[in-house]
């Protein structure tokens, strides 16, 4: 099972991917999380990508592809994976095809979580994340039990620098056209499944699960 989640920032890819990866027992590979971890650990990669992340700009393809190639080469990704936030450009999509073809593999599902722009703006600027475990919350749509504190690990919730209104606008613009092109790229290959990402989290989850199981009832 080689799965890609497509969708604009804030479409719910991360939230859904965590549970889907757990249920289907495949690693959840999120390039945004990997870049943020590198940044927090102040690795050379982290320093190189800092500026892009803070401003909401895409990291250059060459760097991103190298990171994903390395990650997909790890033993836990041999029997499937769920990619979240990659590919984001056509060169990345083509590089992914090549990486998989080298292992005689191909993508099995590409699911596009569709959400309107207005809803995305509201979701992103209200998003809060756990500073330790990365769990997602929202100031009105998904509040933690104790304000400012993660339900899962008790650590402080923060706002990602790129979830402030200005970088959010840049990120949406950066991704809008590219995501549309990627959707067309995968649709032309008969791989694309569209998911209405606007409903309640549990409802969207059921739709994704049905699509992955090939159950169209
Ligand atoms: P995300 O958590 O997916 O919204 O990603 C956060 C940031 O990481 C993006 O705004 C980009 O700066 C960077 N990033 C994540 N994935 C990619 C990718 N596939 N290509 C380029 N940049 C990426």
């Amino acid at each position: 099972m080689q799965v890609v989640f497509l969708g604009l920032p804030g479409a719910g890819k991360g939230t859904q991917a965590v549970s889907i990866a757990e249920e289907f027992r495949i690693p959840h590979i999120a390039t945004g999380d990997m870049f943020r971890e590198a940044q927090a650990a102040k690795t050379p990669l982290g320093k190189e990508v800092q500026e892009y992340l803070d401003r909401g700009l895409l990291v250059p393809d060459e760097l991103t592809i190298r990171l994903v190639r390395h990650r997909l080469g790890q033993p836990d990704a041999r029997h499937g994976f769920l990619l979240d936030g990659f590919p984001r450009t056509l060169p990345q999509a083509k590089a992914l095809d090549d990486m998989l073809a080298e292992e005689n593999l191909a993508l099995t599902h590409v699911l596009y979580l569709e959400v309107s722009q207005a809803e995305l703006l509201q979701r992103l600027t209200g998003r809060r994340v756990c500073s330790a475990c990365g769990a997602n919350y929202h100031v009105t749509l998904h509040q933690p039990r104790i304000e400012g504190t993660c339900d899962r690990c008790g650590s402080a919730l923060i706002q990602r620098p790129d979830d402030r209104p200005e970088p959010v606008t840049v990120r949406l613009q950066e991704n809008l056209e590219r995501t549309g092109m990627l959707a067309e790229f995968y649709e032309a290959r008969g791989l694309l499944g569209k998911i209405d990402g606007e409903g309640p989290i549990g409802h969207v989850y059921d739709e994704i699960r049905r699509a992955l199981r090939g159950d169209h009832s």
Side-chain angles (χ1 to χ4, degrees):
M1 196 175 207
Q2 280 80 234
V3 186
V4 164
F5 275 7
L6 275 188
L8 290 168
K13 299 188 299 294
T15 303
Q16 298 292 346
V18 170
S19 315
I20 290 286
E22 207 171 279
E23 179 173 339
F24 288 84
R25 295 168 187 265
I26 48 177
H28 168 211
I29 300 177
T31 41
D33 289 349
M34 292 164 79
F35 284 134
R36 276 186 294 278
E37 277 160 24
Q39 203 182 12
K42 298 194 166 48
T43 63
L45 172 73
K47 287 180 193 150
E48 209 168 335
V49 301
Q50 170 110 29
E51 176 96 6
Y52 297 102
L53 261 71
D54 287 349
R55 292 173 55 202
L57 297 171
L58 288 184
V59 172
D61 282 339
E62 199 254 322
L63 258 182
T64 310
I65 290 166
R66 197 156 15 110
L67 179 82
V68 172
R69 177 180 278 281
H70 180 260
R71 180 63 187 86
L72 292 185
Q74 305 294 307
D76 66 337
R78 295 266 155 78
H79 306 290
F81 53 77
L82 196 177
L83 277 170
D84 158 13
F86 183 94
R88 262 187 165 91
T89 64
L90 278 178
Q92 291 180 11
K94 289 178 182 152
L96 176 61
D97 274 354
D98 293 344
M99 283 179 228
L100 294 175
E102 282 167 25
E103 305 290 328
N104 287 320
L105 292 171
L107 290 175
T108 52
H109 306 81
V110 178
L111 298 185
Y112 184 18
L113 272 65
E114 293 185 299
V115 176
S116 72
Q117 288 255 54
E119 171 81 14
L120 290 174
L121 261 178
Q122 192 211 3
R123 285 189 187 181
L124 286 168
T125 52
R127 179 159 74 177
R128 298 294 180 269
V129 295
C130 174
S131 51
C133 75
N136 277 315
Y137 299 89
H138 190 278
V139 288
T140 51
L141 305 171
H142 180 196
Q143 295 174 330
R145 284 194 294 273
I146 303 166
E147 202 191 319
T149 308
C150 180
D151 289 348
R152 273 168 52 184
C153 74
S155 302
L157 302 185
I158 54 162
Q159 182 175 41
R160 275 171 42 178
D162 59 347
D163 280 343
R164 286 171 291 118
E166 198 187 303
V168 159
T169 312
V170 175
R171 276 164 74 208
L172 286 178
Q173 274 165 2
E174 270 268 275
N175 284 282
L176 189 63
E177 201 180 326
R178 289 198 174 93
T179 306
M181 271 159 47
L182 287 171
E184 280 172 25
F185 175 81
Y186 288 121
E187 186 149 45
R189 297 159 171 234
L191 271 177
L192 194 75
K194 289 186 182 164
I195 305 283
D196 176 1
E198 294 227 352
I201 292 178
H203 183 86
V204 177
Y205 186 80
D206 290 342
E207 258 200 73
I208 295 174
R209 187 204 264 141
R210 258 201 299 277
L212 292 178
R213 291 197 172 139
D215 169 6
H216 300 293
S217 57

